[in-house]
Amino acid sequence: MHPALADDLARFPELLRSARDMAAREVSGAAAERPVVALGPAPARAPLPERGEGGAGALARFTERWAPGMSASAGPRYLGFVTGGVTPASLAGDWLTSAYDQNLSGAAGSWGAALERETVSWLGELFGLGEAHSGAFVTGATVSNTVGLAIGRAWLGERLGVDVSRAGAAALGPVDVLSGSPHSSVGKALSVLGIGRDRLRPVPLLPDGREAVDVTALGAALAALDGRPAIVVANAGTVNTVDFDDLRAIAALRERYDFWLHVDAAFGAFAALSPAHAHLVAGLDVADSVCVDLHKWLNVPYDAAVQFTRRRDLQVAVFHNESPYLGPPADEPDFLHLTPENSRRLRALPAWFSLTAYGLEGHREVVERNVAEARRLGAGVEALPGLRLLAPVRLNVVCFTLAERPTPERLAALAGAVAASGEAFVTPTVYAGVPALRAAFSNWRTTEDDTRRVLAALATVSAAL
Ligand SMILES: *Cc1c(COP(=O)(O)O)cnc(C)c1O
């Protein structure tokens, strides 16, 4: 054994303790007070180490060269994109995922796959899905959308008498994918799946700046297909204003039209945890496939999401890994026959830890507190003379712009000034043609005090612009 490896083996517990001490500093006190995003240039690339320095040396080198440039994206005032943090229990689970280093491609020799199934079933229950939906962990909502749409593509093949898995997507002819306000990842998924980004056909939205689809217009678009089966992507939680398509009304269209219903509920699914907001995702259980991100509102570490479908048979047709050494899919197919990955980590363990540690009630409290803080920030923004709310705060995102001359340049300057203050991080968007910023609340640690600090930073930098 190389001496550096032998040394580390002998001192394994000490190395882990040092890393733990560093992590503990990161998640508490001083580190939580460092700037929310790192704006300086990254260090120059170092040469490949010829002789290793050992684990302790690597930790020292990381601490010196790279740690200062990590963002506080797991902290309470990083409000860019939709970014979750890491609950204490999920971090512990994540460490153990790596320590056990299970390969969840198959069930043989480990209970890991059964643990993933238990976790998926808990998540289904959390989001109001019944026994008809099965699912698996994937790395993010983009992959979850891709898996759901791949199963939808196989369903189109079934309707048209084509085995897409063998004949390829081209055998389907042009595919129609209809959606109101799809996330950008849907276009990417269609590109990957050989359906094509241009086959994503926008459907008119409800009036008055809503981002929810006009279900009557969707019906008309489906009628115009003359009986050709299609894919509908419904959106449960848009990124700008967290608007929700009427899932029940969309599902009711299936009495007249033939379509696969995929729901992108990446973070909107968490509305189901709050009795006051659960109506927003009513009907989620009628979807053929559902995408939910977990590294957002479940607050588990990157990268984790879950996909659900009612048609596991078609999922196996798409993802079946055909090889004599892997064997045929069983009644309960191994995960390597269900998702794009073959080898897979025990990605479910952090979610299992968090759900076991905090339960439905704990995670509900996070959702409700985030919604309350988004409302508070929305009210505060409205009261600032230099800013203006662009949409009502429907759930956990505040979408706002400058009261005067909201040009892309001035909004970029505002976002830059917020980041430079070190107090918060928000990200730009364009909503209804107006350049804007969004502040998204999805971190388990965010409190009223954080919202006040964000608001104070916004007041200062908007007044100076
Ligand atoms: C974040 C998000 C995605 C993409 O999620 P990743 O985890 O970044 O792949 C897809 N859809 C919606 C609605 C999202 O908010």
Side-chain angles (χ1 to χ4, degrees):
M1 195 183 281
H2 186 279
L5 282 168
D7 233 38
D8 270 0
L9 179 58
R11 284 188 301 202
F12 211 160
E14 284 91 315
L15 176 61
L16 294 183
R17 262 198 294 278
S18 309
R20 179 203 67 180
D21 290 346
M22 180 172 183
R25 280 195 303 277
E26 278 305 306
V27 298
S28 63
E33 284 310 309
R34 70 195 154 91
V36 173
V37 286
L39 297 171
R45 205 175 294 173
L48 168 69
E50 181 71 39
R51 295 197 37 162
E53 300 181 61
L59 186 60
R61 209 60 61 226
F62 172 73
T63 307
E64 162 206 329
R65 294 186 63 222
W66 295 106
M70 296 296 125
S71 76
S73 57
R77 291 185 310 284
Y78 187 101
L79 308 180
F81 312 102
V82 180
T83 306
V86 180
T87 60
S90 75
L91 180 55
D94 198 60
W95 284 352
L96 292 175
T97 294
S98 293
Y100 280 106
D101 196 25
Q102 306 288 285
N103 185 351
L104 272 261
S105 60
S110 164
W111 291 354
L115 184 148
E116 177 165 339
R117 290 203 181 90
E118 175 170 282
T119 313
V120 169
S121 79
W122 287 355
L123 290 165
E125 203 178 322
L126 210 60
F127 306 128
L129 302 178
E131 289 296 311
H133 281 96
S134 63
F137 271 71
V138 289
T139 50
T142 300
V143 177
S144 180
N145 278 331
T146 305
V147 170
L149 293 170
I151 304 167
R153 189 184 61 175
W155 174 85
L156 286 175
E158 185 178 80
R159 305 302 288 168
L160 299 170
V162 172
D163 181 348
V164 179
S165 165
R166 308 239 154 249
L172 292 173
V175 169
D176 295 289
V177 182
L178 309 179
S179 189
S181 301
H183 186 266
S184 55
S185 59
V186 172
K188 178 169 171 170
L190 296 178
S191 166
V192 169
L193 294 171
I195 292 175
R197 295 177 194 261
D198 290 353
R199 300 309 301 172
L200 181 56
R201 308 210 353 236
V203 179
L205 306 176
L206 291 175
D208 303 322
R210 295 284 305 273
E211 290 185 305
V213 75
D214 177 341
V215 178
T216 309
L218 178 61
L222 287 163
L225 299 178
D226 275 337
R228 207 180 146 72
I231 294 176
V232 170
V233 177
N235 302 293
T238 58
V239 290
N240 279 337
T241 68
V242 200
D243 212 339
F244 288 78
D245 287 352
D246 183 339
L247 302 178
R248 284 208 177 119
I250 293 174
L253 291 173
R254 284 200 290 204
E255 285 161 24
R256 273 173 289 158
Y257 310 111
D258 207 17
F259 60 91
W260 178 266
L261 177 55
H262 174 76
V263 179
D264 181 355
F267 65 97
F270 286 82
L273 275 66
S274 158
H277 300 95
H279 65 277
L280 295 168
V281 283
L284 192 64
D285 59 323
V286 297
D288 298 304
S289 52
V290 177
C291 153
V292 186
D293 232 333
L294 302 175
H295 50 222
K296 288 176 179 165
W297 229 349
L298 193 68
N299 279 270
V300 297
Y302 291 100
D303 35 22
V306 62
Q307 61 74 219
F308 295 100
T309 184
R310 294 172 162 276
R311 291 295 305 272
R312 193 163 66 186
D313 58 325
L314 292 177
Q315 182 169 10
V316 171
V318 177
F319 293 102
H320 178 198
N321 194 340
E322 294 179 31
S323 158
Y325 89 96
L326 296 170
D331 287 349
E332 187 83 85
D334 283 341
F335 286 111
L336 85 168
H337 299 305
L338 295 174
T339 67
E341 302 85 6
N342 186 60
S343 296
R344 315 161 70 244
R345 74 200 316 257
L346 181 46
R347 188 169 276 113
L349 192 56
W352 186 94
F353 260 72
S354 206
L355 291 170
T356 301
Y358 314 117
L360 171 60
E361 281 179 22
H363 281 280
R364 173 186 295 144
E365 192 276 333
V366 171
V367 168
E368 293 186 329
R369 177 158 39 86
N370 285 158
V371 172
E373 292 312 315
R375 292 234 172 94
R376 189 188 314 283
L377 186 76
V381 160
E382 207 156 36
L384 286 177
L387 299 177
R388 136 176 111 83
L389 262 192
L390 273 179
V393 179
R394 292 201 180 87
L395 202 64
N396 61 327
V397 173
V398 185
C399 186
F400 61 98
T401 192
L402 286 162
E404 278 164 37
R405 290 184 295 125
T407 60
E409 296 73 26
R410 276 167 52 80
L411 266 301
L414 182 65
V418 172
S421 76
E423 284 288 281
F425 182 65
V426 294
T427 41
T429 189
V430 176
Y431 168 65
V434 182
L437 296 181
R438 331 166 24 264
F441 289 75
S442 38
N443 188 289
W444 67 283
R445 290 176 78 158
T446 309
T447 62
E448 180 174 347
D449 183 50
D450 293 302
T451 308
R452 297 203 186 287
R453 283 177 64 171
V454 174
L455 206 51
L458 280 174
T460 309
V461 301
S462 65
L465 210 67

